[in-house]
Amino acid sequence: MSRTPTAEAPLAPSTIKLLLISLALALIPHLTHLPALICLFCLVFGLWRLMATTHGWPLPGKLSRLLLTLLVMAVVIMTYGTIAGPDPGTALLAAMMGLKLLETKRPSDIALVIILGYFLAITIALYSQAIPLVVYMFVFILFLTATLIRLNQRSSQHGADRKSTRLNSSHTDISRMPSSS
């Protein structure tokens, strides 16, 4: 089965920045129970993505991402002795979300990172159900949702532009056809 490639809208720097702010807000409540090295990884991955967006830094290649993934897994296993359970699962989720930032090239990649952000928001309930924390969680879920809305608006605008271009080009082709009179 062959899939035809579809052109997706380019990622807007403003969307990436809003995503990074949303994810930082999602990560803040976890700083008290995540290992410092995992928090550092998340910070470095986020800053790397920001620099790639604003200053044109290259994103890491497949081999580099694979090595970073193995490093994150090793840190989680060395810290917790396993990858199963709420604490190591949350640590892996946070770190892998950061790693996913390093390979975001299409709007669908950003949508996946936003979904991971929603999951990270839910994991806060594993540690505390205090009302102020729930209110805070609601705020950064609004940020994640705003990012998703902005992403979809840009994608739909790009799709409408492409459709308009196709219609205009087909109109041009028809107008160039010889008449039968």
Side-chain angles (χ1 to χ4, degrees):
M1 170 190 265
S2 68
R3 291 173 37 179
T4 56
T6 57
E8 293 190 62
L11 297 176
S14 59
T15 304
I16 298 288
K17 290 174 187 174
L18 184 58
L19 175 68
L20 291 172
I21 291 168
S22 302
L23 296 179
L25 290 173
L27 196 59
I28 287 172
H30 292 287
L31 295 179
T32 60
H33 57 269
L34 284 178
L37 204 47
I38 295 294
C39 294
L40 181 64
F41 283 150
C42 291
L43 177 67
V44 168
F45 298 155
L47 289 175
W48 192 340
R49 185 60 177 122
L50 180 64
M51 295 306 285
T53 300
T54 59
H55 292 87
W57 282 19
L59 292 172
K62 285 183 181 182
L63 181 60
S64 299
R65 289 192 315 263
L66 175 65
L67 293 174
L68 287 170
T69 302
L70 293 174
L71 178 63
V72 165
M73 291 286 291
V75 167
V76 170
I77 290 171
M78 288 175 14
T79 302
Y80 297 105
T82 182
I83 58 170
D87 290 334
T90 302
L92 271 177
L93 177 63
M96 295 302 168
M97 185 176 63
L99 278 167
K100 184 64 182 167
L101 285 171
L102 297 180
E103 64 175 4
T104 53
K105 293 185 172 95
R106 300 182 311 263
S108 57
D109 295 332
I110 297 291
L112 178 63
V113 174
I114 292 170
I115 291 169
L116 292 173
Y118 286 131
F119 277 106
L120 191 63
I122 292 169
T123 61
I124 292 172
L126 296 172
Y127 301 97
S128 174
Q129 294 87 30
I131 297 297
L133 192 57
V134 172
V135 170
Y136 178 78
M137 185 172 68
F138 180 72
V139 168
F140 73 76
I141 284 176
L142 284 176
F143 268 86
L144 284 169
T145 305
T147 307
L148 190 58
I149 290 169
R150 172 176 263 173
L151 178 71
N152 285 323
Q153 285 175 340
R154 276 196 54 78
S155 294
S156 64
Q157 287 171 352
H158 179 71
D161 292 343
R162 287 182 58 234
K163 191 174 189 180
S164 170
T165 303
R166 268 189 308 206
L167 288 174
N168 288 340
S169 66
S170 64
H171 173 68
T172 304
D173 292 339
I174 291 172
S175 67
R176 290 183 183 167
M177 294 178 77
S179 64
S180 59
S181 47

